[in-house]
Amino acid sequence: MPTASQVLDFIQSSSIPAGKREIAKAFGLKGQEKIKLKALLRDMAEEGLIDGSKSAFHRMGGVPKVTTLKIVAIEDGDLIAEPDNWDPEAPGNAPRLIVREPKVARNAKSAKRPPALKRGDRILARTEETDAGWVAVPMKKLPARTEGLMGVVEIDKTGKAWLAPVDKRVRQSSPIADIGEAEAGQLVIAERVGRSERAGLKVIEVIGDPLAPKSFSMIAIAKHGIPHIFPEEVLDEAPVAAKLKLSDKTREDLRHLPIVAIDPADARDHDDAIWAEPDGKGGFNALVAIADVSFYVRPGSQLDREARKRGNSVYFPDRVVPMLPEVLSADVCSLKEGEDRAAMACHMHINADGKMSSFRFSRALVRIAHNIAYEDAQKAVDSGNPPEYLANLWAAWKALAAARDARDPLELELPERRVVLDAQGKIAEIAIRERLDAHRVVEDFMIAANVAAAKALEAKAAPVVYRIHEPPSREKLTALRDYLATMGKKLALGQVVTPGLFNRMLKDVTDEAEKALVMEAVLRSQTQAYYGPANAGHFGLSLGSYAHFTSPIRRYSDLLVHRALVDAFKLEQPAPPGSIPDTSGLSDRDRASLQQVSDAISQTERRAMEAERDTIDRYVAAWLSGRVGEVFETRITGVQAFGFFATIVGLGGDGLVPISTLGGEYFRHDEAAQALVGSDSGTTYASGDRLKLKLAEANPLTGALKFVLPDADTGRIEARGARPDEWRRGANSGPKKAGKFMAGKRGRPGNIRHQGRKK
């Protein structure tokens, strides 16, 4: 029997519309096999993979007449969708369709208005070709791929099993038709039984105790579909690649230089290391050494295919899901102190003004002199008597920083939450990560190397995977202007918008609370950065050409840039025959599909960011679950008609304050001012306001928080959170207590919504 994928491949390649008869003939199916094929096609039609009648595909790259799409962008006010199950390995780019939402007549009382769609939503849609191009007409909104399919098993008083979801956006529990070996209180993954949601769910995997240290990251991995288990063929190939020999005869020998890698204290891999020395003329000779991953991960290899699929490593407080197997990511490729390592070296000359006057690239052999934590490097410099290699780095950085200031990139001080775990994997501390000069030193050296890589490839007319950050759209700038006007501030749109415009505006704000408010508004106006082969500059960094070159262990984009440099500067080093693919430069396939792979890794980057953010939210909720009832200093971060969102100052963790808890007064939603205004008293709750709020609920499994005013009656609010000692002292509450974590009847979560913070 063919698989669904094989059937789709056949339909897409068929020169005529292919139905059941043509498919059966192509695969030589007879008798009972035809009956099984009919069932397979019925299931595929239900999933939207094929048209239920003829299975005939449109000729726009293999999109069926009825299919599952995902909203990926909003362009000029139109929703743009792509096939949800598009294979990044398939030839060509994923088709893009304009979504035309069906209109509902105002006088049609019985008509059901379709739910509003947004980026990230999945829809079952009918595709049509019009004069304006291909469009998709939504038939129904679908749950996210794993939405509601991962959760905690709960048993109600009648003995019926329910799945209480761990996704804060899913408000209803689902009935479980087949509980399998699962028990009440256990965290499980389920799948739907049959075609109807009413048929219930079947438990397919038991993860176990939802309070176990691994659970929060495992929830994110399952929810976002992050590949976290390497196939056997990849694990078999990794040791072979790791044994490739290094030679100072084929590489520039830089082992005599005191190159240092400055990283977080808990870094699991070391991509980059830096060195600098004065040139005697007021400038500096500098070096950025980057792990030479392209030497080990060759185009067409099993390692390359898996890295391309993953796109990037994903970092959680308790684990990392690496792009490459650990024998490479944490060992052979990692720049470890005292070990000979393969590196791609960017040699730069920095003049007295901090500008790069020249640069070149080589494949090198390096031996890292020191692996230093940011805090330790900063402490050594602050002591007033740092070692020479650090003193030189800081001196070169001051020149780079001066050039950066002259460039005037966007300066947004965005606090980053840091989760510290103890030896048992329990939460020891959640704090805002301190920003040191040591971080800025490394950052500015990396930016310089990234610029050098992009310009070097441009000079050779070679392919480049750029890191692109486009200027804010006119629509977002108009919204920002209108919002600032409610605060008595002006934003002139008749001039060329530059990062410096925002910087000057922020500099004029002296009140810290107001400054944070304006900073968040500016952040919301920015576009999202992405990868692509067509240069559009980097607005935020105020750079005309920019590429990611400095983290090939954890980003596939950087690996592609390294391969392009290998070709452009003739740095090829063939592998021994019969071991792994010979070339380490760009393959023909890389060159032909640069746009496609850029789109794919942009998506995996967004997936990783969402997964990491969701996991931090769960850790914060777990940390706060023992402090329900306490009053916190908060700041309003967003206002909607149904209430406002607030975050705890100095800790983070956005929670909803429902409008129903504000008292009996009617509150009007002023969208332009992002405020709720009381109709009688004039009491205003506006974005940016600081106020004291009482924590009413904290749900570790969803990451959802709920606040109320300090004087609100919370006697009837039952806090569904773990006891404080269970999280901080490492006690295991046991699976039977997990059911208490979900609010509402039968464990169904309450009406709690969450506004994710943009990073």
Side-chain angles (χ1 to χ4, degrees):
M1 284 293 298
T3 64
S5 177
Q6 290 171 329
V7 170
L8 286 176
D9 288 342
F10 170 72
I11 295 174
Q12 287 174 272
S13 60
S14 176
S15 59
I16 60 173
K20 185 180 70 175
R21 181 182 302 175
E22 290 77 17
I23 296 170
K25 183 177 180 180
F27 290 96
L29 305 181
K30 298 179 181 179
Q32 291 295 319
E33 293 173 332
K34 288 186 177 182
I35 297 176
K36 292 181 180 179
L37 174 64
K38 185 176 180 181
L40 173 63
L41 295 176
R42 186 169 58 244
D43 290 341
M44 292 173 66
E46 178 66 23
E47 294 177 23
L49 298 177
I50 60 175
D51 181 270
S53 55
K54 263 294 184 183
S55 307
F57 271 57
H58 294 311
R59 296 301 168 203
M60 58 163 301
V63 176
K65 293 177 181 176
V66 177
T67 189
T68 303
L69 302 173
K70 184 175 182 179
I71 311 296
V72 296
I74 301 177
E75 298 177 359
D76 298 326
D78 289 326
L79 296 173
I80 306 298
E82 294 180 355
D84 185 45
N85 60 343
W86 189 261
D87 183 1
E89 300 292 324
N93 299 325
R96 292 167 68 87
L97 302 91
I98 297 176
V99 179
R100 298 289 189 222
E101 300 189 52
K103 297 181 179 179
V104 178
R106 293 184 179 180
N107 58 356
K109 295 182 179 180
S110 61
K112 185 177 181 181
R113 184 172 297 277
L117 299 175
K118 61 182 183 304
R119 192 173 67 182
D121 285 345
R122 296 173 67 240
I123 57 173
L124 184 65
R126 182 178 70 255
T127 61
E128 300 174 352
E129 187 174 18
T130 68
D131 293 339
W134 286 96
V135 300
V137 180
M139 298 168 64
K140 69 174 182 177
K141 185 177 177 180
L142 301 173
R145 189 168 296 279
T146 57
E147 226 176 49
L149 301 184
M150 186 177 194
V152 176
V153 175
E154 295 191 342
I155 309 296
D156 64 20
K157 294 180 180 179
T158 67
K160 187 174 182 179
W162 295 82
L163 187 74
V166 296
D167 191 330
K168 63 171 66 74
R169 296 170 298 177
V170 183
R171 304 182 183 184
Q172 299 295 328
S173 295
S174 300
I176 299 177
D178 184 354
I179 196 172
E181 300 295 323
E183 299 177 0
Q186 288 186 321
L187 185 65
V188 301
I189 298 176
E191 65 181 7
R192 302 200 181 279
V193 177
R195 305 179 187 179
S196 171
E197 292 185 8
R198 290 177 295 179
L201 305 174
K202 175 183 178 181
V203 174
I204 59 173
E205 182 180 346
V206 177
I207 296 178
D209 182 2
L211 302 184
K214 68 175 183 178
S215 295
F216 294 156
S217 55
M218 282 301 298
I219 289 170
I221 289 168
K223 172 186 169 185
H224 294 279
I226 295 172
H228 66 290
I229 299 175
F230 285 104
E232 287 187 15
E233 57 269 23
V234 175
L235 294 176
D236 290 342
E237 188 178 80
V240 177
K243 292 179 181 177
L244 288 176
K245 301 294 184 182
L246 302 179
S247 172
D248 57 3
K249 296 180 180 179
T250 57
R251 291 178 173 271
E252 185 175 5
D253 193 346
L254 301 176
R255 288 176 290 183
H256 61 286
L257 296 179
I259 308 172
V260 296
I262 306 176
D263 292 292
D266 58 351
R268 298 171 171 95
D269 49 56
H270 306 278
D271 287 278
D272 55 81
I274 52 181
W275 167 86
E277 69 175 6
D279 66 355
K281 302 176 183 178
F284 295 86
N285 296 315
L287 176 78
V288 174
I290 306 299
D292 189 0
V293 176
S294 64
F295 179 68
Y296 299 100
V297 181
R298 310 256 171 157
S301 65
Q302 297 292 342
L303 284 166
D304 180 51
R305 280 193 282 269
E306 184 66 16
R308 188 182 179 115
K309 181 175 75 174
R310 295 186 176 216
N312 46 256
S313 298
V314 187
Y315 293 86
F316 300 107
D318 66 319
R319 74 181 70 211
V320 60
V321 180
M323 185 178 76
L324 302 171
E326 285 196 13
V327 67
L328 294 176
S329 63
D331 187 11
V332 174
C333 291
S334 187
L335 302 181
K336 292 184 176 181
E337 181 178 324
E339 300 284 344
D340 286 358
R341 288 292 186 260
M344 183 72 75
C346 175
H347 306 257
M348 300 178 290
H349 182 263
I350 302 169
N351 64 24
D353 295 327
K355 296 181 179 179
M356 281 189 296
S357 57
S358 65
F359 51 79
R360 68 180 179 89
F361 289 86
S362 70
R363 266 184 156 158
L365 188 63
V366 300
R367 184 178 296 162
I368 304 305
H370 302 282
N371 286 120
I372 312 174
Y374 285 114
E375 295 79 6
D376 293 338
Q378 189 68 54
K379 185 177 179 180
V381 172
D382 291 344
S383 70
N385 188 31
E388 185 180 17
Y389 59 85
L390 286 181
N392 288 340
L393 284 174
W394 255 248
W397 166 64
K398 287 179 180 177
L400 287 173
R404 179 189 180 110
D405 292 341
R407 203 173 68 241
D408 204 10
L410 187 60
E411 297 288 352
L412 295 179
E413 299 171 8
L414 304 173
E416 181 183 354
R417 289 174 293 174
R418 180 171 62 96
V419 177
V420 180
L421 304 179
D422 61 21
Q424 288 73 43
K426 299 297 181 179
I427 305 170
E429 179 188 9
I430 295 180
I432 300 300
R433 192 181 298 275
E434 186 180 7
R435 177 82 165 155
L436 304 171
D437 280 348
H439 293 97
R440 297 181 177 91
V441 170
V442 174
E443 182 180 288
D444 282 340
F445 270 92
M446 296 305 111
I447 290 173
N450 287 335
V451 170
K455 290 188 173 182
L457 291 173
E458 288 174 346
K460 296 284 188 178
V464 188
V465 175
Y466 291 99
R467 180 63 170 178
I468 301 166
H469 181 226
E470 297 184 22
S473 66
R474 182 76 181 183
E475 181 183 19
K476 287 190 174 184
L477 288 173
T478 301
L480 176 62
R481 181 197 61 189
D482 294 344
Y483 172 61
L484 292 175
T486 66
M487 304 171 63
K489 300 184 181 300
K490 293 183 179 180
L491 177 65
L493 299 184
Q495 57 187 304
V496 176
V497 177
T498 64
L501 173 67
F502 298 116
N503 291 338
R504 290 189 294 274
M505 183 173 60
L506 289 168
K507 189 176 181 180
D508 292 338
V509 181
T510 56
D511 181 74
E512 288 302 317
E514 185 179 4
K515 189 171 186 176
L517 181 62
V518 175
M519 197 175 297
E520 287 180 359
V522 171
L523 179 62
R524 285 194 297 269
S525 74
Q526 301 303 303
T527 60
Q528 190 165 35
Y530 62 94
Y531 296 105
N535 189 20
H538 198 293
F539 176 81
L541 292 175
S542 195
L543 291 168
S545 298
Y546 192 67
H548 273 169
F549 159 76
T550 56
S551 296
I553 290 178
R554 61 185 180 91
R555 291 190 305 228
Y556 195 79
S557 57
D558 304 51
L559 178 56
L560 290 171
V561 170
H562 279 230
R563 288 174 178 169
L565 289 168
V566 167
D567 288 342
F569 290 89
K570 303 186 185 312
L571 303 176
E572 184 60 83
Q573 291 187 1
S579 56
I580 57 176
D582 185 63
T583 181
S584 61
L586 286 172
S587 66
D588 292 339
R589 180 187 175 212
D590 286 335
R591 295 173 183 276
S593 62
L594 217 52
Q595 180 64 61
Q596 179 188 353
V597 70
S598 296
D599 292 342
I601 58 181
S602 296
Q603 292 287 347
T604 59
E605 179 192 44
R606 285 191 278 272
R607 178 180 69 185
M609 290 173 63
E610 291 172 6
E612 291 167 359
R613 184 177 61 238
D614 286 354
T615 303
I616 295 294
D617 285 345
R618 288 185 171 90
Y619 272 107
V620 170
W623 179 247
L624 292 171
S625 61
R627 303 178 67 179
V628 170
E630 290 187 28
V631 176
F632 294 89
E633 183 75 21
T634 72
R635 183 167 53 82
I636 297 178
T637 57
V639 180
Q640 298 293 335
F642 51 80
F644 61 84
F645 295 93
T647 186
I648 297 175
V649 175
L651 179 63
D654 278 2
L656 173 67
V657 180
I659 198 169
S660 60
T661 66
L662 300 180
E665 184 179 7
Y666 175 78
F667 279 83
R668 175 178 57 85
H669 179 217
D670 186 338
E671 188 172 359
Q674 296 183 31
L676 291 174
V677 183
S679 58
D680 298 328
S681 65
T683 300
T684 301
Y685 298 102
S687 185
D689 287 352
R690 291 179 72 130
L691 70 165
K692 293 186 181 297
L693 292 174
K694 183 188 295 184
L695 180 64
E697 296 182 14
N699 192 322
L701 291 181
T702 65
L705 304 177
K706 181 179 179 181
F707 295 108
V708 295
L709 298 177
D711 56 353
D713 180 13
T714 58
R716 293 176 298 172
I717 299 176
E718 181 183 355
R720 265 76 174 184
R723 295 194 302 267
D725 58 342
E726 291 174 355
W727 290 100
R728 286 189 267 278
R729 292 206 304 251
N732 190 337
S733 67
K736 290 187 178 180
K737 293 182 181 179
K740 296 182 180 179
F741 283 14
M742 310 305 294
K745 296 181 179 179
R746 289 181 176 171
R748 301 182 185 186
N751 185 15
I752 300 176
R753 295 185 63 185
H754 176 81
Q755 175 173 291
R757 298 288 304 279
K758 184 187 289 186
K759 291 189 177 180

